[in-house]
Amino acid sequence: IVWETSSTIVRSTQIYNEPYTCPCIRSHTSDNVFMAQSNADYIVIFSSHKPYRMNKHKRFEGHIVNGYNTQLDISPDGTFVASASANGLLYIFSYRSSRLIKTQSIGVS
């Protein structure tokens, strides 16, 4: 569901038709999109303007969500996307190519 926060009016109810929830959503810092961490173990991108279309060709995959409250973040210049993972690693992706650049242990066991 997409809603307008100032008035709580629902703007769209059909932008993500997969049977998974998204525990974290972030606006991109330099592009007109928002990104959602899916419990299907990937990050999906949506247009931030009506009709709020999902980008079906670009995903950030490889990390594990498995129902945990894992978060994602975007670098200030919009170049990188970072995601926590249920396996105790931080995954860093290139926003442009959506390729995994690096994994880093975050000391969680």
Side-chain angles (χ1 to χ4, degrees), residues 86-106:
N87 63 2
L89 296 175
L90 176 69
Y91 285 67
I92 301 172
F93 300 91
S94 162
Y95 174 70
R96 174 173 271 175
S97 70
S98 69
R99 282 204 247 152
L100 179 64
I101 295 173
K102 181 179 182 177
T103 59
Q104 175 82 31
S105 176
I106 53 178

Side-chain angles (χ1 to χ4, degrees), residues 62-83:
H63 60 290
I64 303 165
V65 180
N66 280 346
Y68 291 95
N69 187 18
T70 59
Q71 303 288 304
L72 72 99
D73 210 349
I74 302 159
S75 64
D77 65 359
T79 306
F80 303 105
V81 176
S83 175

